[in-house]
Amino acid sequence: MMRAVYVKHYADPARALAAGTHLTWLIQLDSGVRLPDLHRVTANHLILEHLDGWPFQPADLEHAAALLGRLHGTAHTRELHAAHLGRDYTSSTGLTIRRFPAGREHVLSDADPDLVNLPAALYKDCNLRNVVMTAGGPALVDFDDLTLAPFGYDLAKLVVSTAMTHGRLPADQISAALHAYNVDVDDIGTRAAECTRLQLARYAEIHHRLTARYVGRNGYQHLWPTVRPWPAPSAEPRSR
């Protein structure tokens, strides 16, 4: 019997090829994180394993955070310890992973300039719609985006996208998720790369600026300033 597949369509063949290359690299990390098998890449499609599951909910945040910590810790230990956030990185398989500032310059202009000197993890756009809950736990899907990023940055995307979809999250729930993330990062042996609560909050503000335009679309119902689970920054970053 043929196993069920999921076919993702791309109008741009370059995007299809990039997404397939991203997924192949992530699978080769052998992190133990659940990812769909990639059956084939065509000019305009990815043919992927179909994952039986259900949509991510706020109650799943802690489990998904641990998953991200495992992926980020493994990626850093096996590859990205040699990367610098301010420069493109070429992996051992020849994949070029773009530097963290690429495409974000306008929202990073007010950020700590030393941010690019932090240990390198990755960003794969872990918004809540890119997490599928299966009988075996969370699985990550959608591999269109892959860049370098500091530890905790992709977790902040999950927090912001969940709150903008479902409403304000309890502060203790976010604390538990951050703890779970750091525990799994530590388990890989990358203790120096832990994300602090202050860093998570700062990354959330960056995501807010990048995601605000989607309110009213893609399931985003709430503006981040109305659901922010901690005090607002003393001064909002200037906009362009």
Side-chain angles (χ1 to χ4, degrees), residues 12-237:
D12 180 358
R15 293 282 286 168
L17 179 61
T21 305
H22 296 162
L23 175 54
T24 298
W25 182 76
L26 290 169
I27 290 173
Q28 289 175 346
L29 290 175
D30 195 25
S31 65
V33 170
R34 186 74 170 93
L35 303 164
D37 291 334
L38 176 61
H39 296 310
R40 191 166 71 256
V41 180
T42 72
N44 294 93
H45 301 88
L46 292 191
I47 316 299
L48 301 160
E49 173 191 7
H50 173 76
L51 298 178
D52 290 325
W54 54 94
F56 173 94
Q57 298 296 319
D60 302 314
L61 183 62
E62 186 174 346
H63 294 300
L67 186 82
L68 275 180
R70 194 174 317 135
L71 179 64
H72 293 173
T74 302
H76 179 85
T77 299
R78 299 192 177 174
E79 283 259 7
L80 301 182
H81 60 276
H84 185 279
L85 292 178
R87 297 188 291 270
D88 291 352
Y89 173 75
T90 301
S91 77
S92 59
T93 61
L95 170 66
T96 297
I97 305 175
R98 296 187 71 195
R99 65 194 187 281
F100 178 57
R104 303 184 177 99
E105 290 89 349
H106 63 295
V107 295
L108 294 178
S109 60
D110 300 287
D112 184 344
D114 288 333
L115 189 152
V116 295
N117 294 317
L118 293 172
L122 58 88
Y123 168 78
K124 68 155 296 296
D125 186 17
C126 192
N127 73 67
L128 76 166
R129 292 163 193 85
N130 292 339
V131 180
V132 173
M133 301 305 298
T134 74
L140 298 180
V141 298
D142 197 312
F143 309 95
D144 295 356
D145 298 299
L146 187 67
T147 71
L148 298 176
F151 278 85
Y153 182 78
D154 219 358
L155 175 60
K157 177 60 177 283
L158 183 59
V159 169
V160 170
S161 64
T162 301
M164 289 179 63
T165 300
H166 292 284
R168 186 188 302 271
L169 302 173
D172 59 352
Q173 185 180 23
I174 296 176
S175 294
L178 180 60
H179 176 72
Y181 175 86
N182 283 327
V183 165
D184 266 75
V185 168
D186 287 352
D187 283 347
I188 306 300
T190 48
R191 181 176 298 275
E194 287 186 357
C195 177
T196 69
R197 187 176 180 85
L198 178 58
Q199 287 172 326
L200 186 72
R202 288 174 173 168
Y203 302 153
E205 296 309 310
I206 296 172
H207 285 300
H208 155 52
R209 296 183 66 194
L210 292 168
T211 310
R213 60 188 171 133
Y214 295 112
V215 171
R217 294 183 287 155
N218 303 331
Y220 292 123
Q221 304 298 320
H222 307 274
L223 288 167
W224 174 248
T226 69
V227 295
R228 186 186 284 118
W230 40 65
S234 56
E236 290 285 349

